[in-house]
Amino acid sequence: MFNPAGRRAATLLLRLCVGTAVLAAVGTSVAAQRPGLVVSVAASVYDALDEIAGLYRAATGVTVALNAGGSNTLARQIVEGAKAGLFLSADEAQMDAVARAGRIVAGTRTRLLANELAIVVPKSSPDFPLARLLEGRIARLAMGEPGAVPAGVYGRKWLEHEGAWPRVEAKVVPFPTARAVLSAVEAERVDAGIVYRTDAMSSGVRVIANISRTQHPYLDISYPAAVIAGPSEAEARRFLEFLKGPAARAVFDRRGFGRP
Amino acid sequence: MTAETWAIARFTVLMALIATAMVLPPAIGIGWLLARRNFPGKTLLETIVSLPLVLPPVASGLLLLWLFGRRSPMGRALDAAGIEIIFTWKAVVIAMMVISFPLVARSVRAGIEQVDRRYEQIAATLGAGPVRILRTITLPLASRGIAAGAVLGFSRALGEFGATIMIAGAIPGQTRTIAVGIYTLVETGREEAAWVLVLISAVLAFGAIYVSNKLIEQGARA
């Protein structure tokens, strides 16, 4: 029926089919191992949530997968239909965006944590007064993208309040998360950075200023959490209750997160 | 088209042109070496040259970031000399050069391999030295391969993202290229502007591929 060329083609086709089937089988088994709950979490809370997810797993046997990133990125993913069960954002604006898209389960939005900004410089930096930054006598300032990333939006608000934004704007290197800013300062790729106080606590940088809530009440840094509508709603509600509970609160306290 | 997207497009094309111009001399050198010389470690050199083609660009970017950062000996030396690389336009050019280098070098090599060695041998019997042979015989005859490599490298440079965002960042008006711009505009919720950049990059890509296809076609006819 087949000439040799045809037979070769048929064999090739058969091999391709078998190959595809094997790949599909592997893919399905990988998909089957996916954890019960995906939590989209602002990068600045990742370490704390990773620890809490460990406690939660020990207590309930449920594995929580953490999708960490800039809150603006996470919000976008959720608006576009990402399968997150719970969203923990670093600012209200990004949670509002998700709420506007109708993805939040009504009544589940909670202000979970509070934080403050810190100005950090590399450990190796000698005397570095805050005035140097405010006067723009600096080559590179790392901060979250000032138009979207919460840490950047807060940082810009602070710089504007100090009247320093016009002098500093051209020196800004925008980063996708406050955590990325921290790495850039640690590795001495920039002269200074604006991060959260909680980031600065756990790393090899020097804090030159804490922007406290009492002195800067316009910087209301709170982390809202909300359950996202979808198949893992029930599981997400249970995890959110756990996040509000004493075991999780102890972890947040130890890592320097305040209460809103 | 807004002034901002226009400035990003112009900046990207300029950076890609500089990167291509700077990549060509070393790519021609390496391409010629690989096409015409046998030496110990040739396969190793070939592999190293092709590495950025296979390595994830972000990985190349992180290596570059370390190399040019203040924590490496080279970065410290540059810093001491007052030369700033990372998060400047120079970093954009370096990222583009490293990523497009393999494409250009491979294309140059293929072009030189197609040149009949007898012409070079005849020139040698007539007393021409190796440099003169290269300049008057090999390179002119391989010019189409070199040009195709340049166009290919230029197109790759235009679209460079991973290494660029690592070492140059996305500073508006300073290091923001088309590819990085599309990403950051979407990230910051300005998708309309991102679509304009998509359109611009489609036009540029179309032009580059058209030119390179024309070159190949002419080469086939010649």
Side-chain angles (χ1 to χ4, degrees), chain B residues 82-118:
Chain B
I83 301 169
E84 228 189 320
I85 302 280
I86 54 176
F87 303 127
T88 68
W89 66 270
K90 291 168 222 154
V92 176
V93 171
I94 289 170
M96 286 177 168
M97 284 175 66
V98 168
I99 300 299
S100 61
F101 182 82
L103 285 169
V104 185
R106 289 163 77 99
S107 186
V108 167
R109 180 192 179 170
I112 290 176
E113 273 173 348
Q114 274 169 15
V115 174
D116 196 330
R117 273 182 193 236
R118 275 175 300 181

PDB file of all heavy atoms in Angstrom, chain B residues 82-118:
ATOM      1  N   GLY B  82      35.690  55.793  37.172  1.00  0.00           N
ATOM      2  CA  GLY B  82      34.567  56.710  36.999  1.00  0.00           C
ATOM      3  C   GLY B  82      33.678  56.362  35.818  1.00  0.00           C
ATOM      4  O   GLY B  82      32.936  57.202  35.329  1.00  0.00           O
ATOM      5  N   ILE B  83      33.763  55.101  35.349  1.00  0.00           N
ATOM      6  CA  ILE B  83      32.921  54.693  34.218  1.00  0.00           C
ATOM      7  C   ILE B  83      31.685  53.971  34.735  1.00  0.00           C
ATOM      8  O   ILE B  83      31.795  52.947  35.417  1.00  0.00           O
ATOM      9  CB  ILE B  83      33.706  53.773  33.250  1.00  0.00           C
ATOM     10  CG1 ILE B  83      34.937  54.504  32.730  1.00  0.00           C
ATOM     11  CG2 ILE B  83      32.808  53.340  32.082  1.00  0.00           C
ATOM     12  CD1 ILE B  83      35.910  53.615  31.992  1.00  0.00           C
ATOM     13  N   GLU B  84      30.534  54.504  34.424  1.00  0.00           N
ATOM     14  CA  GLU B  84      29.286  53.911  34.876  1.00  0.00           C
ATOM     15  C   GLU B  84      28.676  53.111  33.732  1.00  0.00           C
ATOM     16  O   GLU B  84      28.508  53.639  32.629  1.00  0.00           O
ATOM     17  CB  GLU B  84      28.329  55.020  35.295  1.00  0.00           C
ATOM     18  CG  GLU B  84      27.682  54.785  36.638  1.00  0.00           C
ATOM     19  CD  GLU B  84      26.589  55.803  36.884  1.00  0.00           C
ATOM     20  OE1 GLU B  84      26.783  56.978  36.540  1.00  0.00           O
ATOM     21  OE2 GLU B  84      25.540  55.397  37.406  1.00  0.00           O
ATOM     22  N   ILE B  85      28.363  51.855  33.989  1.00  0.00           N
ATOM     23  CA  ILE B  85      27.806  51.011  32.923  1.00  0.00           C
ATOM     24  C   ILE B  85      26.370  50.614  33.246  1.00  0.00           C
ATOM     25  O   ILE B  85      25.449  50.902  32.476  1.00  0.00           O
ATOM     26  CB  ILE B  85      28.660  49.731  32.712  1.00  0.00           C
ATOM     27  CG1 ILE B  85      30.103  50.084  32.373  1.00  0.00           C
ATOM     28  CG2 ILE B  85      28.027  48.849  31.640  1.00  0.00           C
ATOM     29  CD1 ILE B  85      30.371  50.467  30.950  1.00  0.00           C
ATOM     30  N   ILE B  86      26.194  49.924  34.384  1.00  0.00           N
ATOM     31  CA  ILE B  86      24.871  49.350  34.641  1.00  0.00           C
ATOM     32  C   ILE B  86      23.834  50.449  34.838  1.00  0.00           C
ATOM     33  O   ILE B  86      24.118  51.499  35.398  1.00  0.00           O
ATOM     34  CB  ILE B  86      24.879  48.374  35.843  1.00  0.00           C
ATOM     35  CG1 ILE B  86      25.452  49.027  37.092  1.00  0.00           C
ATOM     36  CG2 ILE B  86      25.649  47.123  35.520  1.00  0.00           C
ATOM     37  CD1 ILE B  86      25.386  48.129  38.301  1.00  0.00           C
ATOM     38  N   PHE B  87      22.641  50.172  34.352  1.00  0.00           N
ATOM     39  CA  PHE B  87      21.507  51.108  34.366  1.00  0.00           C
ATOM     40  C   PHE B  87      21.793  52.374  33.551  1.00  0.00           C
ATOM     41  O   PHE B  87      21.281  53.448  33.857  1.00  0.00           O
ATOM     42  CB  PHE B  87      21.090  51.467  35.796  1.00  0.00           C
ATOM     43  CG  PHE B  87      20.729  50.268  36.625  1.00  0.00           C
ATOM     44  CD1 PHE B  87      21.311  50.039  37.860  1.00  0.00           C
ATOM     45  CD2 PHE B  87      19.820  49.344  36.148  1.00  0.00           C
ATOM     46  CE1 PHE B  87      20.985  48.922  38.609  1.00  0.00           C
ATOM     47  CE2 PHE B  87      19.480  48.232  36.891  1.00  0.00           C
ATOM     48  CZ  PHE B  87      20.073  48.020  38.122  1.00  0.00           C
ATOM     49  N   THR B  88      22.678  52.264  32.528  1.00  0.00           N
ATOM     50  CA  THR B  88      22.861  53.383  31.597  1.00  0.00           C
ATOM     51  C   THR B  88      22.654  52.844  30.180  1.00  0.00           C
ATOM     52  O   THR B  88      22.523  51.637  29.979  1.00  0.00           O
ATOM     53  CB  THR B  88      24.293  53.959  31.673  1.00  0.00           C
ATOM     54  OG1 THR B  88      25.206  52.989  31.152  1.00  0.00           O
ATOM     55  CG2 THR B  88      24.671  54.311  33.101  1.00  0.00           C
ATOM     56  N   TRP B  89      22.677  53.727  29.184  1.00  0.00           N
ATOM     57  CA  TRP B  89      22.486  53.285  27.797  1.00  0.00           C
ATOM     58  C   TRP B  89      23.611  52.348  27.363  1.00  0.00           C
ATOM     59  O   TRP B  89      23.415  51.494  26.501  1.00  0.00           O
ATOM     60  CB  TRP B  89      22.398  54.490  26.848  1.00  0.00           C
ATOM     61  CG  TRP B  89      23.672  55.291  26.749  1.00  0.00           C
ATOM     62  CD1 TRP B  89      24.036  56.347  27.521  1.00  0.00           C
ATOM     63  CD2 TRP B  89      24.745  55.071  25.837  1.00  0.00           C
ATOM     64  NE1 TRP B  89      25.272  56.796  27.150  1.00  0.00           N
ATOM     65  CE2 TRP B  89      25.734  56.045  26.112  1.00  0.00           C
ATOM     66  CE3 TRP B  89      24.972  54.150  24.798  1.00  0.00           C
ATOM     67  CZ2 TRP B  89      26.931  56.118  25.403  1.00  0.00           C
ATOM     68  CZ3 TRP B  89      26.174  54.230  24.097  1.00  0.00           C
ATOM     69  CH2 TRP B  89      27.128  55.197  24.391  1.00  0.00           C
ATOM     70  N   LYS B  90      24.783  52.502  27.976  1.00  0.00           N
ATOM     71  CA  LYS B  90      25.892  51.605  27.616  1.00  0.00           C
ATOM     72  C   LYS B  90      25.541  50.148  27.930  1.00  0.00           C
ATOM     73  O   LYS B  90      25.929  49.223  27.210  1.00  0.00           O
ATOM     74  CB  LYS B  90      27.156  51.990  28.389  1.00  0.00           C
ATOM     75  CG  LYS B  90      27.737  53.321  27.933  1.00  0.00           C
ATOM     76  CD  LYS B  90      28.801  53.812  28.900  1.00  0.00           C
ATOM     77  CE  LYS B  90      28.656  55.298  29.124  1.00  0.00           C
ATOM     78  NZ  LYS B  90      29.167  55.756  30.407  1.00  0.00           N
ATOM     79  N   ALA B  91      24.811  49.959  29.024  1.00  0.00           N
ATOM     80  CA  ALA B  91      24.394  48.609  29.391  1.00  0.00           C
ATOM     81  C   ALA B  91      23.420  48.047  28.354  1.00  0.00           C
ATOM     82  O   ALA B  91      23.448  46.844  28.054  1.00  0.00           O
ATOM     83  CB  ALA B  91      23.746  48.623  30.774  1.00  0.00           C
ATOM     84  N   VAL B  92      22.576  48.910  27.801  1.00  0.00           N
ATOM     85  CA  VAL B  92      21.653  48.462  26.754  1.00  0.00           C
ATOM     86  C   VAL B  92      22.447  47.928  25.574  1.00  0.00           C
ATOM     87  O   VAL B  92      22.171  46.835  25.047  1.00  0.00           O
ATOM     88  CB  VAL B  92      20.729  49.625  26.289  1.00  0.00           C
ATOM     89  CG1 VAL B  92      19.842  49.186  25.148  1.00  0.00           C
ATOM     90  CG2 VAL B  92      19.904  50.152  27.448  1.00  0.00           C
ATOM     91  N   VAL B  93      23.486  48.690  25.158  1.00  0.00           N
ATOM     92  CA  VAL B  93      24.301  48.275  24.014  1.00  0.00           C
ATOM     93  C   VAL B  93      25.028  46.969  24.321  1.00  0.00           C
ATOM     94  O   VAL B  93      25.061  46.060  23.489  1.00  0.00           O
ATOM     95  CB  VAL B  93      25.316  49.395  23.652  1.00  0.00           C
ATOM     96  CG1 VAL B  93      26.316  48.894  22.624  1.00  0.00           C
ATOM     97  CG2 VAL B  93      24.588  50.622  23.135  1.00  0.00           C
ATOM     98  N   ILE B  94      25.570  46.855  25.538  1.00  0.00           N
ATOM     99  CA  ILE B  94      26.308  45.637  25.889  1.00  0.00           C
ATOM    100  C   ILE B  94      25.383  44.421  25.859  1.00  0.00           C
ATOM    101  O   ILE B  94      25.726  43.371  25.305  1.00  0.00           O
ATOM    102  CB  ILE B  94      26.968  45.803  27.277  1.00  0.00           C
ATOM    103  CG1 ILE B  94      28.126  46.793  27.166  1.00  0.00           C
ATOM    104  CG2 ILE B  94      27.451  44.460  27.810  1.00  0.00           C
ATOM    105  CD1 ILE B  94      28.706  47.220  28.490  1.00  0.00           C
ATOM    106  N   ALA B  95      24.184  44.562  26.411  1.00  0.00           N
ATOM    107  CA  ALA B  95      23.233  43.442  26.407  1.00  0.00           C
ATOM    108  C   ALA B  95      22.909  43.042  24.970  1.00  0.00           C
ATOM    109  O   ALA B  95      22.936  41.849  24.620  1.00  0.00           O
ATOM    110  CB  ALA B  95      21.957  43.845  27.150  1.00  0.00           C
ATOM    111  N   MET B  96      22.637  44.026  24.128  1.00  0.00           N
ATOM    112  CA  MET B  96      22.310  43.734  22.727  1.00  0.00           C
ATOM    113  C   MET B  96      23.488  43.051  22.030  1.00  0.00           C
ATOM    114  O   MET B  96      23.302  42.104  21.259  1.00  0.00           O
ATOM    115  CB  MET B  96      21.974  45.036  21.992  1.00  0.00           C
ATOM    116  CG  MET B  96      20.621  45.623  22.348  1.00  0.00           C
ATOM    117  SD  MET B  96      20.398  47.193  21.484  1.00  0.00           S
ATOM    118  CE  MET B  96      18.645  47.487  21.760  1.00  0.00           C
ATOM    119  N   MET B  97      24.707  43.530  22.305  1.00  0.00           N
ATOM    120  CA  MET B  97      25.889  42.964  21.650  1.00  0.00           C
ATOM    121  C   MET B  97      26.076  41.495  22.016  1.00  0.00           C
ATOM    122  O   MET B  97      26.280  40.647  21.145  1.00  0.00           O
ATOM    123  CB  MET B  97      27.149  43.741  22.068  1.00  0.00           C
ATOM    124  CG  MET B  97      27.308  45.088  21.393  1.00  0.00           C
ATOM    125  SD  MET B  97      28.726  45.997  22.060  1.00  0.00           S
ATOM    126  CE  MET B  97      30.088  44.956  21.509  1.00  0.00           C
ATOM    127  N   VAL B  98      25.998  41.207  23.319  1.00  0.00           N
ATOM    128  CA  VAL B  98      26.245  39.839  23.781  1.00  0.00           C
ATOM    129  C   VAL B  98      25.210  38.882  23.191  1.00  0.00           C
ATOM    130  O   VAL B  98      25.535  37.776  22.754  1.00  0.00           O
ATOM    131  CB  VAL B  98      26.233  39.790  25.323  1.00  0.00           C
ATOM    132  CG1 VAL B  98      26.196  38.359  25.821  1.00  0.00           C
ATOM    133  CG2 VAL B  98      27.451  40.512  25.868  1.00  0.00           C
ATOM    134  N   ILE B  99      23.952  39.312  23.151  1.00  0.00           N
ATOM    135  CA  ILE B  99      22.895  38.417  22.690  1.00  0.00           C
ATOM    136  C   ILE B  99      22.928  38.239  21.169  1.00  0.00           C
ATOM    137  O   ILE B  99      22.619  37.168  20.655  1.00  0.00           O
ATOM    138  CB  ILE B  99      21.509  38.930  23.153  1.00  0.00           C
ATOM    139  CG1 ILE B  99      21.456  39.011  24.678  1.00  0.00           C
ATOM    140  CG2 ILE B  99      20.397  38.055  22.632  1.00  0.00           C
ATOM    141  CD1 ILE B  99      21.655  37.698  25.411  1.00  0.00           C
ATOM    142  N   SER B 100      23.312  39.294  20.431  1.00  0.00           N
ATOM    143  CA  SER B 100      23.271  39.151  18.968  1.00  0.00           C
ATOM    144  C   SER B 100      24.586  38.617  18.398  1.00  0.00           C
ATOM    145  O   SER B 100      24.630  38.167  17.258  1.00  0.00           O
ATOM    146  CB  SER B 100      22.903  40.481  18.306  1.00  0.00           C
ATOM    147  OG  SER B 100      23.860  41.462  18.603  1.00  0.00           O
ATOM    148  N   PHE B 101      25.658  38.653  19.211  1.00  0.00           N
ATOM    149  CA  PHE B 101      26.955  38.214  18.713  1.00  0.00           C
ATOM    150  C   PHE B 101      26.943  36.823  18.054  1.00  0.00           C
ATOM    151  O   PHE B 101      27.451  36.666  16.934  1.00  0.00           O
ATOM    152  CB  PHE B 101      27.998  38.255  19.836  1.00  0.00           C
ATOM    153  CG  PHE B 101      29.365  37.876  19.392  1.00  0.00           C
ATOM    154  CD1 PHE B 101      30.185  38.801  18.778  1.00  0.00           C
ATOM    155  CD2 PHE B 101      29.836  36.582  19.549  1.00  0.00           C
ATOM    156  CE1 PHE B 101      31.448  38.459  18.336  1.00  0.00           C
ATOM    157  CE2 PHE B 101      31.098  36.223  19.107  1.00  0.00           C
ATOM    158  CZ  PHE B 101      31.903  37.157  18.507  1.00  0.00           C
ATOM    159  N   PRO B 102      26.372  35.796  18.695  1.00  0.00           N
ATOM    160  CA  PRO B 102      26.408  34.465  18.076  1.00  0.00           C
ATOM    161  C   PRO B 102      25.755  34.426  16.695  1.00  0.00           C
ATOM    162  O   PRO B 102      26.276  33.782  15.783  1.00  0.00           O
ATOM    163  CB  PRO B 102      25.620  33.584  19.050  1.00  0.00           C
ATOM    164  CG  PRO B 102      25.444  34.357  20.274  1.00  0.00           C
ATOM    165  CD  PRO B 102      25.697  35.793  19.992  1.00  0.00           C
ATOM    166  N   LEU B 103      24.642  35.119  16.554  1.00  0.00           N
ATOM    167  CA  LEU B 103      23.944  35.118  15.266  1.00  0.00           C
ATOM    168  C   LEU B 103      24.823  35.714  14.179  1.00  0.00           C
ATOM    169  O   LEU B 103      24.930  35.163  13.077  1.00  0.00           O
ATOM    170  CB  LEU B 103      22.655  35.930  15.377  1.00  0.00           C
ATOM    171  CG  LEU B 103      21.510  35.265  16.131  1.00  0.00           C
ATOM    172  CD1 LEU B 103      20.405  36.277  16.410  1.00  0.00           C
ATOM    173  CD2 LEU B 103      20.974  34.091  15.335  1.00  0.00           C
ATOM    174  N   VAL B 104      25.463  36.848  14.500  1.00  0.00           N
ATOM    175  CA  VAL B 104      26.294  37.513  13.507  1.00  0.00           C
ATOM    176  C   VAL B 104      27.509  36.640  13.182  1.00  0.00           C
ATOM    177  O   VAL B 104      27.817  36.407  12.008  1.00  0.00           O
ATOM    178  CB  VAL B 104      26.740  38.908  14.011  1.00  0.00           C
ATOM    179  CG1 VAL B 104      27.503  39.645  12.925  1.00  0.00           C
ATOM    180  CG2 VAL B 104      25.545  39.727  14.452  1.00  0.00           C
ATOM    181  N   ALA B 105      28.170  36.126  14.216  1.00  0.00           N
ATOM    182  CA  ALA B 105      29.380  35.330  13.996  1.00  0.00           C
ATOM    183  C   ALA B 105      29.072  34.081  13.164  1.00  0.00           C
ATOM    184  O   ALA B 105      29.830  33.716  12.264  1.00  0.00           O
ATOM    185  CB  ALA B 105      29.999  34.940  15.340  1.00  0.00           C
ATOM    186  N   ARG B 106      27.964  33.419  13.447  1.00  0.00           N
ATOM    187  CA  ARG B 106      27.610  32.204  12.705  1.00  0.00           C
ATOM    188  C   ARG B 106      27.295  32.521  11.244  1.00  0.00           C
ATOM    189  O   ARG B 106      27.666  31.763  10.340  1.00  0.00           O
ATOM    190  CB  ARG B 106      26.405  31.518  13.353  1.00  0.00           C
ATOM    191  CG  ARG B 106      26.755  30.878  14.673  1.00  0.00           C
ATOM    192  CD  ARG B 106      25.514  30.576  15.459  1.00  0.00           C
ATOM    193  NE  ARG B 106      24.847  29.402  14.958  1.00  0.00           N
ATOM    194  CZ  ARG B 106      24.976  28.197  15.531  1.00  0.00           C
ATOM    195  NH1 ARG B 106      25.747  28.046  16.581  1.00  0.00           N
ATOM    196  NH2 ARG B 106      24.350  27.167  15.040  1.00  0.00           N
ATOM    197  N   SER B 107      26.616  33.633  11.024  1.00  0.00           N
ATOM    198  CA  SER B 107      26.267  34.010   9.662  1.00  0.00           C
ATOM    199  C   SER B 107      27.526  34.389   8.874  1.00  0.00           C
ATOM    200  O   SER B 107      27.676  34.011   7.710  1.00  0.00           O
ATOM    201  CB  SER B 107      25.274  35.172   9.706  1.00  0.00           C
ATOM    202  OG  SER B 107      24.821  35.475   8.433  1.00  0.00           O
ATOM    203  N   VAL B 108      28.435  35.116   9.518  1.00  0.00           N
ATOM    204  CA  VAL B 108      29.699  35.488   8.880  1.00  0.00           C
ATOM    205  C   VAL B 108      30.488  34.230   8.530  1.00  0.00           C
ATOM    206  O   VAL B 108      31.018  34.076   7.434  1.00  0.00           O
ATOM    207  CB  VAL B 108      30.531  36.398   9.811  1.00  0.00           C
ATOM    208  CG1 VAL B 108      31.957  36.531   9.292  1.00  0.00           C
ATOM    209  CG2 VAL B 108      29.877  37.761   9.952  1.00  0.00           C
ATOM    210  N   ARG B 109      30.533  33.306   9.466  1.00  0.00           N
ATOM    211  CA  ARG B 109      31.261  32.063   9.239  1.00  0.00           C
ATOM    212  C   ARG B 109      30.712  31.317   8.026  1.00  0.00           C
ATOM    213  O   ARG B 109      31.466  30.872   7.157  1.00  0.00           O
ATOM    214  CB  ARG B 109      31.145  31.182  10.481  1.00  0.00           C
ATOM    215  CG  ARG B 109      31.866  29.887  10.320  1.00  0.00           C
ATOM    216  CD  ARG B 109      31.517  28.910  11.402  1.00  0.00           C
ATOM    217  NE  ARG B 109      32.250  27.685  11.158  1.00  0.00           N
ATOM    218  CZ  ARG B 109      32.318  26.700  12.012  1.00  0.00           C
ATOM    219  NH1 ARG B 109      31.720  26.795  13.172  1.00  0.00           N
ATOM    220  NH2 ARG B 109      33.005  25.622  11.715  1.00  0.00           N
ATOM    221  N   ALA B 110      29.385  31.211   7.964  1.00  0.00           N
ATOM    222  CA  ALA B 110      28.764  30.522   6.835  1.00  0.00           C
ATOM    223  C   ALA B 110      29.104  31.233   5.529  1.00  0.00           C
ATOM    224  O   ALA B 110      29.402  30.584   4.515  1.00  0.00           O
ATOM    225  CB  ALA B 110      27.245  30.460   7.034  1.00  0.00           C
ATOM    226  N   GLY B 111      29.085  32.564   5.561  1.00  0.00           N
ATOM    227  CA  GLY B 111      29.407  33.340   4.372  1.00  0.00           C
ATOM    228  C   GLY B 111      30.831  33.092   3.911  1.00  0.00           C
ATOM    229  O   GLY B 111      31.091  32.919   2.710  1.00  0.00           O
ATOM    230  N   ILE B 112      31.768  33.049   4.852  1.00  0.00           N
ATOM    231  CA  ILE B 112      33.181  32.854   4.498  1.00  0.00           C
ATOM    232  C   ILE B 112      33.414  31.422   4.007  1.00  0.00           C
ATOM    233  O   ILE B 112      34.181  31.187   3.080  1.00  0.00           O
ATOM    234  CB  ILE B 112      34.081  33.190   5.704  1.00  0.00           C
ATOM    235  CG1 ILE B 112      34.047  34.701   5.945  1.00  0.00           C
ATOM    236  CG2 ILE B 112      35.517  32.719   5.466  1.00  0.00           C
ATOM    237  CD1 ILE B 112      34.813  35.172   7.157  1.00  0.00           C
ATOM    238  N   GLU B 113      32.707  30.467   4.620  1.00  0.00           N
ATOM    239  CA  GLU B 113      32.886  29.068   4.204  1.00  0.00           C
ATOM    240  C   GLU B 113      32.467  28.855   2.752  1.00  0.00           C
ATOM    241  O   GLU B 113      32.950  27.947   2.084  1.00  0.00           O
ATOM    242  CB  GLU B 113      32.104  28.140   5.134  1.00  0.00           C
ATOM    243  CG  GLU B 113      32.932  27.754   6.355  1.00  0.00           C
ATOM    244  CD  GLU B 113      32.144  26.976   7.383  1.00  0.00           C
ATOM    245  OE1 GLU B 113      30.905  26.923   7.272  1.00  0.00           O
ATOM    246  OE2 GLU B 113      32.777  26.436   8.311  1.00  0.00           O
ATOM    247  N   GLN B 114      31.551  29.695   2.277  1.00  0.00           N
ATOM    248  CA  GLN B 114      31.073  29.539   0.901  1.00  0.00           C
ATOM    249  C   GLN B 114      32.038  30.121  -0.128  1.00  0.00           C
ATOM    250  O   GLN B 114      31.884  29.886  -1.321  1.00  0.00           O
ATOM    251  CB  GLN B 114      29.698  30.189   0.759  1.00  0.00           C
ATOM    252  CG  GLN B 114      28.584  29.232   1.164  1.00  0.00           C
ATOM    253  CD  GLN B 114      27.254  29.929   1.286  1.00  0.00           C
ATOM    254  OE1 GLN B 114      27.092  31.047   0.812  1.00  0.00           O
ATOM    255  NE2 GLN B 114      26.305  29.266   1.929  1.00  0.00           N
ATOM    256  N   VAL B 115      33.020  30.890   0.361  1.00  0.00           N
ATOM    257  CA  VAL B 115      33.992  31.481  -0.570  1.00  0.00           C
ATOM    258  C   VAL B 115      34.967  30.382  -1.015  1.00  0.00           C
ATOM    259  O   VAL B 115      35.527  29.678  -0.174  1.00  0.00           O
ATOM    260  CB  VAL B 115      34.762  32.635   0.108  1.00  0.00           C
ATOM    261  CG1 VAL B 115      35.867  33.138  -0.805  1.00  0.00           C
ATOM    262  CG2 VAL B 115      33.807  33.751   0.479  1.00  0.00           C
ATOM    263  N   ASP B 116      35.124  30.234  -2.327  1.00  0.00           N
ATOM    264  CA  ASP B 116      36.015  29.207  -2.872  1.00  0.00           C
ATOM    265  C   ASP B 116      37.456  29.489  -2.460  1.00  0.00           C
ATOM    266  O   ASP B 116      37.989  30.568  -2.720  1.00  0.00           O
ATOM    267  CB  ASP B 116      35.900  29.212  -4.398  1.00  0.00           C
ATOM    268  CG  ASP B 116      36.473  27.940  -4.989  1.00  0.00           C
ATOM    269  OD1 ASP B 116      37.418  27.363  -4.386  1.00  0.00           O
ATOM    270  OD2 ASP B 116      35.978  27.508  -6.046  1.00  0.00           O
ATOM    271  N   ARG B 117      38.073  28.507  -1.799  1.00  0.00           N
ATOM    272  CA  ARG B 117      39.420  28.715  -1.277  1.00  0.00           C
ATOM    273  C   ARG B 117      40.449  28.955  -2.376  1.00  0.00           C
ATOM    274  O   ARG B 117      41.509  29.515  -2.142  1.00  0.00           O
ATOM    275  CB  ARG B 117      39.865  27.483  -0.471  1.00  0.00           C
ATOM    276  CG  ARG B 117      39.434  27.555   0.968  1.00  0.00           C
ATOM    277  CD  ARG B 117      39.952  26.344   1.697  1.00  0.00           C
ATOM    278  NE  ARG B 117      39.286  26.246   2.986  1.00  0.00           N
ATOM    279  CZ  ARG B 117      39.943  26.188   4.128  1.00  0.00           C
ATOM    280  NH1 ARG B 117      41.259  26.201   4.130  1.00  0.00           N
ATOM    281  NH2 ARG B 117      39.295  26.102   5.252  1.00  0.00           N
ATOM    282  N   ARG B 118      40.104  28.471  -3.592  1.00  0.00           N
ATOM    283  CA  ARG B 118      41.097  28.585  -4.679  1.00  0.00           C
ATOM    284  C   ARG B 118      41.431  30.046  -4.976  1.00  0.00           C
ATOM    285  O   ARG B 118      42.572  30.377  -5.260  1.00  0.00           O
ATOM    286  CB  ARG B 118      40.587  27.886  -5.934  1.00  0.00           C
ATOM    287  CG  ARG B 118      40.897  26.398  -5.888  1.00  0.00           C
ATOM    288  CD  ARG B 118      40.292  25.699  -7.063  1.00  0.00           C
ATOM    289  NE  ARG B 118      38.830  25.871  -7.063  1.00  0.00           N
ATOM    290  CZ  ARG B 118      38.034  25.341  -7.990  1.00  0.00           C
ATOM    291  NH1 ARG B 118      38.542  24.662  -9.001  1.00  0.00           N
ATOM    292  NH2 ARG B 118      36.743  25.501  -7.931  1.00  0.00           N
TER     293      ARG B 118
END
